[in-house]
Structures are given as structure tokens and as C-alpha cells.
Amino acid sequence: MSVISLRKQDGVLIVTSDNPPVNALGLAVRQGLMEAIEQASRDDEIKTVVIRCEGQTFFAGADISEFTKPPVEPLLPAIVEAIEACPKPVVAAVHGTALGGGCEVAISCHYRIAVPSAVLGLPEVKLGLLPGASGTQRLPRLVGVEAALEMATKGENVSARRAREIGLIDRLANEDSLAEDAITFAKEVANIRPIPRTSEKKVAAEPGIFQAFRKANARKFRGFEAPEEIIQCIEAATRLPFDEGLAVERQTFMKLLFSSQSAAQRHIFFAQRKAARIEGVAEGIALRDIRKVGVIGAGTMGGGISMNFLSAGIPVTIVEQQAEALERGVGVIRKNYEASAAKGRPTPDQVEQAMGLLTPTLAIEDVSDCDLVIEAVFENMDVKQDVFRKLDAIAKPGAILASNTSYLSIDEIAAVTGRPGDVLGLHFFSPANVMKLLEIVRGDKTADDVLATAMAVSKKIKKVAVIAGVCHGFIGNRMLMPRQLEAEKLLIEGATPEQVDRVHVDFGMPMGPFQMVDLAGTDIGWHRDPGRIDNIRDALCAEGRLGQKKQAGFYDYDDKRNPSPSQRVAEIIETFRAKANVTTRTVSDAEIIERTLYPIVNEGALILEEGIAQRASDIDVVWVFGYGWPVYRGGPMFWCDLEGAKKIVVGLEKHMDKFGPHFSLSALLKEKADSGGRFNG
Ligand code: NAD
């Protein structure tokens, strides 16, 4: 049976797509739509047309499995032109999510009716593309420049009600009777002439609107090519006849399609999905039920971790040693929720609901009925092992026991329990209620169903999870180490914190290595002996320059946390230069890239060699979602593919004497350089 079925009823041709799961606009759907429009044009009995979908949604977008294949006609741009040119009025009946090509089909119809729960949107920008089937030309003609800019450059969906307000849809249907309401609507408009064709409308732009929009969104769009290209296409819609605007859109679409940014963004899109596949674990394995979670430690991480579960409606019992720490921790959770509520989401009711699911306690025994317990106490093996011994004694059989450790061995932690199969690492990133990344650390003995359950839980709390093996720092922090080490060395050789950070920010990172240390606290991992000064960080800590929290770290901060270069830090750096007996030199920006970013790639390659990461794309996911690597550069391994492994290896070899004897060039990276191979397919 064809995925598109046709039915005639009282002069209405009802065109129905049934292409599960999301009515993607694959070839069969496109062919069916084209034939339907041809029939409607030919058949005198047909006065009007309804296009609708069966199943959970209207056309949710392109068929992503076709992305990597050569295009086969009829293509979507031809379909939407045929729909609009149809001599009979065409009504789109929208439910679910009309996204991308789906939204473009809807706006090529002459009328649109949608149920209140429907959403519409043009998310192409998130893949570094633009809506290339007339979206940039029809949308502004339909909803005006401002609303079109918002939708197309940010890729955010609009609700049916909002769509009604801006003129994206004409009518709201009843939630339960879309098919009937659409037919009624189609009959009402059957004889209206001229048929309203969006391409025939004109759209005016207020003077300065594009410049103002660019300025208002400069931060959000920094580094990305697609938003600017979309702005220019929409600008063309205000200036050029429809066909010429369409030509601009087509040309720009092709440019973006072949751009490295879009390739990178599409890579990350697929990489996220791939990351959920756990090597050696059967797909349909039975999962453990996680209904109640325990969190040990109500500090920075424990609080944030708890919020993830509370927001997902899962009750949390949070344990501290002392009443004061417990009270402080719970207070921070509430404060964080209220700060978000003040901005509109969650609602105050939802805040109370979430807080109502939280049980604070000083008795670790209270987690004995929890299905998952996450330890987030101090980063110290003895302290952690002590906690796990207690958990082993009290946790119910089958409970999953997780550590949020940043660096320590999950195997050593698991070894103090009588159930190492139930133990794994769940490494959240700070702030844990905000950062998307979760490293699921697979111990030597971690059971398959424990891993699979952790992966399923990560989806419930809306994280992007990646499997990591046991090593010092797992995937992300281990790769960060050489970067931080080299960044500090560069200061002694002649660079400044401002220069190093600027190079990273120019590359597209949200902040540079020193800004990051100041944000996290220069004292993270500090040995806490002010008399022992082995490096610049020790010197800062010894003077109480602990970062933003003390308004002094690698930078000085005002009370609004705005940084400025620090004279004192310059002096400290100077003493290290004198001690090391180096003549300072001008460090080029290119060297900063080679010294701080290339070692990240090298460490990633070592991690692959050792099997710490399952695949190169997982490493890319870690860096995009955990460390702010610009998504348009696709993560460090994809970036290496773009730059060429050879260039990276040559760059690394140039600085071998500076990296020192501990540095080892990855054989895998070298092999890629020699063979011209890639990490990502
Ligand atoms: P923190 O000092 O803010 O919090 C630790 C909390 O644990 C304290 O409130 C302490 O009172 C409590 N605690 C200590 N022993 C306890 C026990 N036996 N029972 C109950 N509570 C106990 O530390 P943090 O930054 O939240 O770090 C916690 C863990 O998370 C560490 O292993 C750290 O490496 C890891 N981590 C931290 C970050 C980060 O950026 N802060 C990021 C990822 C992972």
C-alpha cells in the first residue's frame, strides 16, 4: 500500500500520509504528494484538497536516512511549488510537530488548520542549514520579518496558539476532530477566489530591523554561519520577487550543505544517537526499575544532581553528615529553582512539586529503599570507599550504586562492596542541573543491565550520555589535563592569560583555560599547603586568589564578576619566569592552538587506542556537551578530520621538546596522519 492514500468526499480530496513513525518526507511520501496534487488539478469533481497525516504527527521533517544518499526527484522544493500552484484550494491539517520540510509543506498550502497541541518550526539551523524548500521566502511573507527571523535563525518551535497569533495558521481545530474540522474548513474556502498564494504576497521590512536583530543576537550566533545566511535570505524576501528570492535561498542552501560547519553539526546530531549504543550489551536487555534515587552529599554536585531527578518527577533522598551542610544544600536547590521560576520556568507550582519530592536526611540508612544511589562526597578515595562500604551494607538488593567521582578508579571503589556488578560511575558536569553531558563510567565488573539502565535513566533526566572506561579523568577531564598544563607553561614562556583565553574564545569556546579555572575555583585539586608552591596555580591559591568566588584568580573581578587583567598575576608569572630562567618570547596565536588544542586531539586518540571511549564520535559528544567545544567544529576528533591528522601531527612534533618526556604521540593519530585516514568514518 502506498504511504499516501487518497479519498474523495463531497468534492474534497483528502490526502493522507501514513509513514510511521513521524511521517518523514521520504521519497515515497514526496511522490505520493505530487501525484495527489496532479489528480486534484485534473479531476473536475475535486473542488478542494486537505493534506493530513495519520499517526502521531504531521510531516515532522526530512527523512534523515536520505541525508547521505544522492537526492532522488521529486524533491521537496518542487512539491511545495506544485502544492501552491494547485488550482484548487489546499488546506494543511496539522497535528503533532510540523518541522522543517513539514512546516514548509504547511506554508505552501493555501490554508492551515491545527490542533492546539501542535507545534511548528524550522530547526534546520541547528544542523547548520537553512529551510531550503522556500521556508526563508514564504515564512516572512506569511508572518512578517520579525517572527520569521526568530523562527528560522533560532530553530525554536512555536505552539499552535502562537502560530495563530502570528498568522502562521488560520484556524485552531478541536483537539479530537482535526480531520472533520479540516474538511469543513476546506468546504468553506472551496470557492474563494483568488486563491491566497503566499508567494504572491509582499513583505516589507522596517528600516534597520536586520541590523538590530543581528546585534541583539550577536552572542548567540557567534561563530555560526547559518543564522547570518538565513538573515540574508529573509532580507532577500523583502527586496526581491519571489522567484529571485527562491534562487538566493537555493544557492545559499547548497553553500551551507557543503560547508564544514553543517557537516560538523550533522555529525554531532548523529553522534548523540550513536552514543546511546553500548558495546557488548544487547539492545533489548531487561532494565532495572528506577523509582527512587538517593544522593550522598549535598554540596555543589549533590544538589545539582538531585535537581535533575526532582525535575523529572523522581523522588530523591539526600544525605549529609551535618545538619548545617544539609540545610545549606537544600537551600541552594530551592534558590536555584526559584531563580529559574523568576524567569518563567518552572512555574512556582512546579517548584513546590519538585521540592516536595525531596527528603533531606542525616541518616544514610534512609537510602536503603532507593533503586539508584549516587555518591557525591569529597574527591578522596578513603572517604568514598567508606561511603560504599556503608551502602553495600544497607542498600536493597539490585540497587545501582554510582559514584560521581571526577578522577578516581571506579574499580577500586567497587572492590570494597560485595556487589561490584552493581557499581558504576555517573560523572555529571558542573552545574549538574544545567550541563547536558553525563559520562557513564563502566567498571571492570559493571553488569550489562546496570549500564543499560543508567543509559535509560540519562534520557529521563534529559542528559546526553557517553560510556567511558576507567582511567584517571575518564574521557573529558583526561583530555583537559594536557590543555591546562600547556596553557600554564605558555604563560612562563611569554603568553598572558588574556592572550591564551582570547585564542580559545576566538576558536569558539565559551571561555578559555584560565577563565574556566577561575570559574570552577583555582583550588580544585589543590594540595592545600600554602607553603608548597610548585606552579602558578599553587601561588594563586596560597594568596587566596581562588577564582571568581574570591573576586581574584588569574584575573581580578569586580562585584559583577567582570574580569580585568591582574597586575599581581603578572608579577607572579614574572617570578616563575625568573625561576625557570627563561627569556620570554612572543608566543603566536598559532602556537597556542598547536600547544593547547592539538594535545587534546592526541589524548583523544590515546583514549581510543586504549578503548576508554567506544568510538571517536563519543569523544566529540563529550567535548561539545561537557566543555563547550563549538558544535560547528564537531568536537576535537571531527575537527582533526577537518584539519587533517597530518597537520596535527606535524604541529605536535614541532613542540615535542616543550611537551616534555611524559608526552606520548598517539600511534593511532600517527597512523591516521600517514594513511590520510579519518576518525569519523
Ligand atoms: P563539595 O565539597 O561541594 O560537596 C561534597 C559534600 O559531601 C559536602 O557537603 C560534604 O559535607 C558532603 N560529605 C562528605 N562526606 C560525606 C559523607 N560521608 N556522607 C554524606 N555527605 C558527605 O564537592 P563537590 O564539588 O560537590 O564534589 C563532589 C564530587 O563530585 C567529587 O567527587 C568531585 O570530584 C565530583 N565532581 C565535582 C565537580 C565540580 O565541578 N565541582 C564536577 C564533577 C564531579
Side-chain angles (χ1 to χ4, degrees), residues 11-29:
V12 184
L13 179 69
I14 303 156
V15 181
T16 305
S17 169
D18 188 4
N19 185 29
V22 294
N23 284 302
L25 286 153
L27 179 61
V29 172

Side-chain angles (χ1 to χ4, degrees), residues 403-478:
S403 173
N404 181 48
T405 178
S406 307
Y407 294 96
L408 301 174
S409 162
I410 295 299
D411 295 332
E412 284 177 41
I413 293 172
V416 300
T417 72
R419 38 176 136 177
D422 295 342
V423 178
L424 84 173
L426 288 182
H427 183 216
F428 290 82
F429 288 70
S430 182
N433 52 319
V434 177
M435 296 296 291
K436 293 296 270 180
L437 180 66
L438 176 67
E439 284 182 336
I440 298 177
V441 187
R442 181 181 204 163
D444 242 4
K445 303 218 166 92
T446 307
D448 287 359
D449 66 333
V450 168
L451 285 169
T453 302
M455 191 55 88
V457 167
S458 75
K459 290 209 181 83
K460 262 196 201 145
I461 59 171
K462 302 197 170 81
K463 297 290 175 196
V464 179
V466 161
I467 301 287
V470 174
C471 69
H472 188 68
F474 316 121
I475 298 175
N477 280 344
R478 173 168 159 186

Side-chain angles (χ1 to χ4, degrees), residues 497-498 501 514-515 518 522 540 543-572:
E498 301 84 83
D501 285 343
F514 300 111
Q515 291 162 324
D518 273 2
T522 54
L540 296 181
E543 290 187 13
R545 298 189 67 96
L546 304 184
Q548 283 196 18
K549 59 189 168 192
K550 296 281 179 195
Q551 286 182 240
F554 279 97
Y555 296 88
D556 292 334
Y557 294 86
D558 64 16
D559 42 13
K560 294 210 175 70
R561 296 203 169 191
N562 293 314
S564 57
S566 162
Q567 186 52 40
R568 179 65 197 132
V569 171
E571 286 161 19
I572 292 173

Side-chain angles (χ1 to χ4, degrees), residues 81 110 123-124 146 151 174 206 262 270 281 302 344 355 406 473 495 521 526 528 550 595 599 607 648:
E81 293 319 310
H110 307 117
E124 288 84 350
E146 205 171 332
M151 277 183 73
N174 276 324
E206 281 167 41
S262 176
F270 288 110
V281 175
M355 290 307 291
S406 307
W526 180 41
R528 293 183 194 280
K550 296 281 179 195
R595 294 274 300 278
I607 277 173
I648 305 280

Side-chain angles (χ1 to χ4, degrees), residues 295-303 305 319-322 325-326 328 364 375-380 383-384 386-387 390 403-408 427-431 477 520 524:
V295 173
I296 316 294
T300 309
M301 294 307 287
I305 293 169
V319 186
E320 260 291 344
Q321 279 174 313
Q322 274 160 3
L326 186 62
R328 188 174 355 105
I364 197 167
E375 163 278 309
V377 303
F378 303 130
E379 184 75 350
N380 174 297
V383 178
K384 291 202 190 278
D386 187 44
V387 168
K390 285 188 188 141
S403 173
N404 181 48
T405 178
S406 307
Y407 294 96
L408 301 174
H427 183 216
F428 290 82
F429 288 70
S430 182
N477 280 344
I524 284 196

Side-chain angles (χ1 to χ4, degrees), residues 598-649:
Y598 288 13
I600 294 180
V601 173
N602 184 62
E603 200 65 37
L606 289 170
I607 277 173
L608 278 175
E609 276 173 39
E610 294 168 25
I612 295 296
Q614 301 190 122
R615 48 188 87 86
S617 62
D618 283 9
I619 296 178
D620 291 332
V621 168
V622 164
W623 272 78
V624 167
F625 293 99
Y627 297 83
W629 187 282
V631 61
Y632 57 79
R633 293 192 200 268
M637 307 321 281
F638 188 83
W639 180 62
C640 175
D641 292 341
L642 285 177
E643 295 285 296
K646 186 155 186 124
K647 180 172 165 193
I648 305 280
V649 167

Side-chain angles (χ1 to χ4, degrees), residues 130-156:
L130 56 72
S134 83
T136 67
Q137 301 306 299
R138 282 202 169 87
L139 188 66
R141 284 177 162 82
L142 207 52
V143 304
V145 167
E146 205 171 332
L149 283 171
E150 283 292 330
M151 277 183 73
T153 63
K154 298 184 183 168
E156 285 160 13

